[in-house]
Amino acid sequence: MFVIKFINHEADVADSFITQMREVVLSNPVARNLETFRMIKSTVNRSVYCCSLNERIFYIKLYSFSSPIKYLKHLFRYSHGIHGYKKSIRLLNENVSTAMPVLAMSYLGGLRSLVVHEAIPGVDAEAFFVNCSNNKNLRSTVLKKIGALIAELFAKGFSHGDMNFGGFIVDAKDGNVSVSLIDVDNITNNPKQRFRDIVNFNAHLFVTAKKAQVEMLSSDELREMYLSMLGIYNFDMTETSFFQRLNQATELKLIKWGQKGYIAI
């Protein structure tokens, strides 16, 4: 594991890195398939690539700034790529299950950066619950593990500003169930944010299920997940107080988002 930081390097470093990685992957006669190196997500500030190399899978996140103001705000901080690498290492040192970082690069004074993680086997939790509707025992086990992982994250001093099921990987092969965190971009150390993190998480679950037009989780299942969390980290609240505050805050958040139909847990 290592970190490389380039200051004022040539503008095409990351694009060159992506191009060279793609050429290395596709140069393997066994892997001459465009699916072995592909972009899987792209937003204004971030692109994510997936590549397969020597039977290992890696994810490359390429970051940029969409405006000079955002760049100036981060001028004296670590770039997103370096910061993501360091957060992943800290989580692993605290025994929080997450993807192993293998490389981080920053260039143009931090204007552009990237981080590479080795993939964790499994599927994201959203896909798992949509596709695994019949195995109640397995669903229950996974929900309890997600709740415990969130509690572990909070108990070790972290908060997470953008929790959603797409940020958890579930591996349920061969009867052994594991859950890992894969999106660490919005992890901070703000203790006052943790209950708000859960409210945003709960609201995101409602919106995700509504968009997919499926009941991804029942109210009883959601309650089971949160009870698993409360058994480890309870926000200094009683169970009754927690659910009352969660339901009230979630409904207000969804109204703010223009969403209706929330069913209290």
Side-chain angles (χ1 to χ4, degrees), residues 4-166:
I4 305 175
K5 187 170 184 179
F6 294 98
I7 302 297
N8 296 323
H9 209 280
E10 58 265 22
D12 64 347
V13 168
D15 294 334
S16 175
F17 177 84
I18 296 294
T19 300
Q20 290 178 46
M21 280 291 295
R22 185 177 185 277
E23 289 175 353
V24 168
V25 171
L26 297 183
S27 66
N28 184 341
V30 180
R32 282 181 181 164
N33 182 335
L34 292 179
E35 286 297 304
T36 59
F37 195 103
R38 66 192 188 281
M39 177 187 286
I40 59 172
K41 185 177 181 180
S42 182
T43 63
V44 174
N45 301 314
R46 185 177 71 173
S47 298
V48 183
Y49 298 83
C50 177
C51 73
S52 303
L53 186 63
N54 296 331
E55 299 183 354
R56 297 166 69 187
I57 300 174
F58 300 90
Y59 286 96
I60 306 168
K61 289 184 181 179
L62 176 61
Y63 300 90
S64 61
F65 289 102
S66 57
S67 71
I69 294 175
K70 287 189 176 181
Y71 169 65
L72 290 172
K73 283 174 64 178
H74 290 78
L75 187 59
F76 300 105
R77 305 176 187 175
Y78 284 112
S79 67
H80 287 305
I82 303 292
H83 198 51
Y85 182 101
K86 290 171 71 68
K87 280 190 286 189
S88 296
I89 291 297
R90 188 176 170 201
L91 288 167
L92 290 168
N93 286 341
E94 292 287 345
N95 295 316
V96 176
S97 182
T98 190
M100 176 67 71
V102 295
L103 168 69
M105 297 171 58
S106 176
Y107 61 101
L108 291 179
L111 184 62
R112 299 280 295 275
S113 62
L114 63 83
V115 63
V116 183
H117 288 87
E118 184 159 8
I120 298 173
V123 298
D124 69 65
E126 181 180 333
F128 172 82
F129 285 109
V130 168
N131 296 319
C132 181
S133 59
N134 296 322
N135 193 331
K136 300 297 183 183
N137 290 334
L138 180 58
R139 287 169 66 92
S140 175
T141 299
V142 171
L143 285 167
K144 289 176 182 176
K145 285 184 176 289
I146 290 175
L149 180 55
I150 294 170
E152 182 183 11
L153 190 70
F154 290 168
K156 291 180 176 178
F158 300 100
S159 55
H160 194 321
D162 190 27
M163 266 194 297
N164 59 77
F165 269 6

